[in-house]
Amino acid sequence: MGLTCWVDKNATGDKANLFATLPASNGETQGGLVLSGHTDVVPVDGQDWATNPFELTEQNGKLYGRGASDMKGFIASVLGAIDNSKKEAKDLRYCFHTTILNLCHVPKHAYK
């Protein structure tokens, strides 16, 4: 895709954020558009769920469950939009920046 990517870990190294930049056609990486999402979730301890939050439940035509509506779809859309912009735009006037924030524990084997 032509992205410059880097991972920023917290002080203990068990949490990380991914940052990426797609330069404009002229190589510019300043300014532009930031598209940001997150992959972390809050714990369910102490929450009053009427159903198991880890199982998708349909009630009255609505879906309930942890992650039934979240940022993962947005992140996939951002990656698709950046890929399409790079392929289709002969003159990409502005750079794109994206961040995928993960404030939860990341296993050490998941990144270098």
Side-chain angles (χ1 to χ4, degrees):
M1 282 185 163
L3 295 170
T4 300
C5 303
W6 66 99
V7 173
D8 181 43
K9 300 177 202 172
N10 70 349
T12 60
D14 64 346
K15 299 177 184 177
N17 297 315
L18 171 65
F19 297 88
T21 296
L22 175 65
S25 295
N26 66 2
E28 183 63 53
T29 59
Q30 299 299 307
L33 179 65
V34 175
L35 303 170
S36 181
H38 64 88
T39 60
D40 63 320
V41 292
V42 296
V44 296
D45 299 339
Q47 296 180 358
D48 187 24
W49 282 80
T51 62
N52 183 340
F54 300 104
E55 292 180 12
L56 186 62
T57 305
E58 183 178 353
Q59 293 179 350
N60 300 320
K62 295 181 180 178
L63 299 175
Y64 296 91
R66 187 173 184 81
S69 175
D70 59 21
M71 293 296 299
K72 281 79 170 174
F74 172 78
I75 292 168
S77 297
V78 166
L79 294 175
I82 290 173
D83 188 42
N84 284 341
S85 294
K86 185 68 175 175
K87 288 178 184 175
E88 310 235 354
K90 293 179 183 172
D91 183 25
L92 188 58
R93 294 173 51 195
Y94 302 100
C95 58
F96 284 104
H97 306 279
T98 187
T99 62
I100 300 175
L101 306 176
N102 183 347
L103 306 176
C104 293
H105 175 75
V106 178
K108 297 238 183 258
H109 69 273
Y111 54 82
K112 293 180 181 181

